[in-house]
């Protein structure tokens, strides 16, 4: 989703590298005006590529509301860095933002896939005082630590809820991020948060048709001041510009997640690896 | 919970009528300092009477953190009005507040028992543009209209979700209040809200041991920017003073909910009626 | 700013009455994406008519970003009501919204011209417990009471700050709205608010070239948790629709402010009256 | 303000090191209940030591509302680190918090004395994308860079407003912190912020009796969606615990600000140095 522009687009110089987020809101519908730009036109409607229009892997593709969705990439940010803004960083960061954390609070992040790793990075950027990352794979544990996790919980070595309660002295965390998309993980988020805690879901729950469940004890019978928040990959040039600024200033660098690099002709192999999660893959970079 | 004070309490005049909320936070523990005063000391911990200490129906009773929990009642507010601040108004109002409504937005309130009626009143106070109240009993429907509901949905005449979607032109509401404490009602709140909508739970889910369920379609697979909020009866003299001001200025009058009045010797009969919900009872007033 | 549409605009029926706010944001620039739509493209940039492009008093005029700025008017709202949404209501309401008032709090509104009257109406809609309106003209005092003011302070009968401090028992108000655009009024807002109070400016300070002044004592030497907020006439179809809903449901009716009605040929006389404020004018309605 | 406790205080172990913030709220008055704990009992009332009661430099001193104000210090945090929580860190951090910054936004911090340096550190902790620190002294410039500043503006080398506008491409910053307490600095904060920008004051304006001034152009004639926020050193054990967590996890270390160390018998010399700002002093540590 990074392109060099021809001269047809006004306001940009020829040859300027630009970035387009996976979500491309119109910014003018009622949903967008209310601020829910990822829900452009209706639920999940901002996700236009793939589901609503032809994809963005062709040489040329249409950018909806280009004035609001094309973002210039600063010269000192590489393509390999910038491409993370388009989905992983913005999604992981909103996961962290939706914990509404106060400086120094405690945050648990469930699963350290690319989105979870970015949520860990986001919680660190937002001033968490302790980040507990739940993950079993060693290479992802190592990245979580690099991106700001203070403690790793390996769920293959004991119940993750119990481990988090132990780490927090039985109190629980202020906020929990669900970055896995699984009913048990969602439930665990409710179980590890204090009264008044915030559960932030960025996991995609489309694989499993069963409803999510809220255990009544962990929900204070509906009265313990917990809140649950959801989000979809926030887009738009203003946000993209802010994420690029974090890359440009060196505050973050997501490229350690790029475990593999493929040419465009190997793209099917790359997709297959992402499905099988073999070979320790976290994210592949496709070059043109 | 309304008393005339003897002279032993400083800062109050002898004979001053005072009010104590059902929730009496200490205001000093970590939960209180974070602002979750109803969770004083831990989940639901602000609810001290009945569960943690002797009740408040004796001639004399202890008020925890009295400096923060005793609230003087203005002369022009009657006992019969003021007593509603102690639980129904503050609970119903936080139900409305947790919809985080913008001026003119649409709100659905599920169930018009005393808390639901107060949530309707609260949504009206906060500037809702359209309030849809779900209720089947005619006397409660009438009160809902009196307190600000624009439309009544009777669930005995058709599915309430379908009716609300029809009323809103298929779009749904901006916020929904669960004031019933029932899994189906909770689920309905998710179903009737737009993407970006807020679900506010004030129903007590302690009667039914099954977990609450979140249908994935109404939850946008965890990604439609909906949020779910919970609360327990906010207390404290600052809030009570503000609620009393709303009574004093004539902006609200909850006494139409007082369908029955009993002497103190009839209190067991009153409790029985509240359990059976017979005789069209909404709220009984016990006089001393 | 109310028109009947021809068939050229998609998404609207021919003959549909529509409304356009005085502020018409593009919704796509960086300012709009950040949510400051009245600052579209730069400071005060959303105010496009008159200052940036030909006015809107011709038979036909261009509506920028029409998809986001044209708002259908419900059949049961009259032109004479709807026209108030375009400036007075949205400006006055944001004045009230920027006091960030909690249910039952106390609010002072300085000056009861059309914007101040709408701020009074807005504070009432948002659940203020006591509204103190500062105004000397009897006809405006009467309207303020009608729109929700509890107490009137006449500054010709004594210092308005002292009067408000007296009314609030020496404590001051939680929020104050500056709806006059005058240095002394702005300063008075700082003086009448409690520590932690919010000052909301909607007055236009363009007539007086001197800087506004913040008295240090009323500002707690820069440390008393007061905040000062400013705004310009929020536009957009989502907000306009919400304001229209408040009219439609009968919650508000601004037409008592319409003291005069003129035909289009008398428009210059109407403007002259608005300047001189003679004949008890509050707002004139120009009919076509 | 760090003590080892004797056995008289419940809930703490004998020998436990504890910390008390400079501000010690009661947590129960109306101001505290509203959340403005630094304004306990009235404007600036949380600042009890020195102004309301005997100081805290004696061997024994009273801690108001000790249950809410005594904070245990973790074993792995040194006294020299912990003492910064009591004033500098909490004040500087609220300065950053009151810019209400979004991830990646731009922040200017005026003056890099101890509070300004902590505001720089706070803006960095909260995810600023670019921090511009205004300071002329080389040793403070160096610390600012160490604590997260990206760019230093030296006001002895040109107008600081012009320099900041240049750095930001003429656009200005999203938020500005006034950490100096001077009318020109306050005005500069208004001048360097974009429309919609937030000005956060933590400077003490008690030295200069003249009112602060708001230039009308930089204030958009009262209509450019800027806001101004103020604060006083937030206290309380919940916040102190969160700040200590940031020290404990190694995310911050304020001790490079400790340029001098004195014994208790040299305390008058230390105060004199703080007044004269000689010898490159930033903060002295007094040991017992």
């Amino acid at each position: 989703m990074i392109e060099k522009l021809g001269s047809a687009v006004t306001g940009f110089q020829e040859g300027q590298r630009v970035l387009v987020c996976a979500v491309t809101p119109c910014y003018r519908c009622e949903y967008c005006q209310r601020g829910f730009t990822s829900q452009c036109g209706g639920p999940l409607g901002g996700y236009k590529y793939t589901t609503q229009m032809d994809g963005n892997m062709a040489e040329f593709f249409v950018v909806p509301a280009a004035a609001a969705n094309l973002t210039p990439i600063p010269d000192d940010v590489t393509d390999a860095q910038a491409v993370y803004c388009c989905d992983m960083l913005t999604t992981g960061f909103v996961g962290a933002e939706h914990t509404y954390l106060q400086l120094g609070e405690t945050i648990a992040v469930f699963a350290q896939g690319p989105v979870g790793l970015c949520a860990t990075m986001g919680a660190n950027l937002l001033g968490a005082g302790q980040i507990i990352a739940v993950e079993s794979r060693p290479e992802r544990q190592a990245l979580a630590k690099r991106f700001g996790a203070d403690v790793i919980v390996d769920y293959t070595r004991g119940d993750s809820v119990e481990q988090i309660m132990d780490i927090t002295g039985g109190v629980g965390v202020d906020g929990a991020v669900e970055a896995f998309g699984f009913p048990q993980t969602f439930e665990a988020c409710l179980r590890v948060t204090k009264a008044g805690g915030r559960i932030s879901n960025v996991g995609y729950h489309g694989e499993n048709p069963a409803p999510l469940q809220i255990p009544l004890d962990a929900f204070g019978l509906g009265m313990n001041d917990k809140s649950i928040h959801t989000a979809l990959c926030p887009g738009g040039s203003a946000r993209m510009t802010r994420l690029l600024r974090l890359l440009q200033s060196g505050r973050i660098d997501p490229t350690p997640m790029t475990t593999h690099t493929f040419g465009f002709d190997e793209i099917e192999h790359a997709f297959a690896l992402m499905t099988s999660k073999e070979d320790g893959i976290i994210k592949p970079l496709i070059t043109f």
Side-chain angles (χ1 to χ4, degrees), chain A residues 215-226:
Chain A
L216 286 176
D217 53 345
F219 202 49
L221 309 174
M223 295 180 161
N224 63 358
D225 273 316
K226 291 195 187 179

Side-chain angles (χ1 to χ4, degrees), chain A residues 169-220:
Chain A
V171 173
V173 292
D174 292 298
V177 180
E178 211 292 0
F180 195 45
F182 207 63
Q184 283 83 337
T185 326
F186 184 80
E187 189 177 322
C189 286
L190 281 152
R191 293 204 177 281
V192 300
T193 37
K194 302 178 192 176
R198 289 81 59 192
I199 291 89
S200 168
N201 187 82
V202 281
Y204 168 71
H205 292 275
E207 307 284 324
N208 192 326
L212 297 174
Q213 297 207 330
I214 298 180
L216 286 176
D217 53 345
F219 202 49

Side-chain angles (χ1 to χ4, degrees), chain A residues 108-173:
Chain A
V109 182
F110 283 82
Q112 299 292 306
V115 167
L117 285 165
C118 290
T120 295
M121 201 188 291
N124 195 42
L125 271 176
L126 289 163
Q130 186 182 40
I131 301 174
I132 303 170
V134 182
E135 180 57 57
S136 65
R137 301 189 188 205
E139 70 276 12
R140 295 182 178 209
Q141 292 177 343
L143 276 177
K145 286 223 147 190
R146 183 164 174 174
F147 290 157
D150 298 273
V151 194
I152 304 291
V153 162
D154 182 344
Y155 62 86
T156 66
R157 304 199 174 187
D159 180 67
S160 57
V161 173
E162 280 175 28
Q163 291 184 66
I164 292 171
M165 294 312 284
D166 279 353
I167 291 164
T168 57
V171 173
V173 292

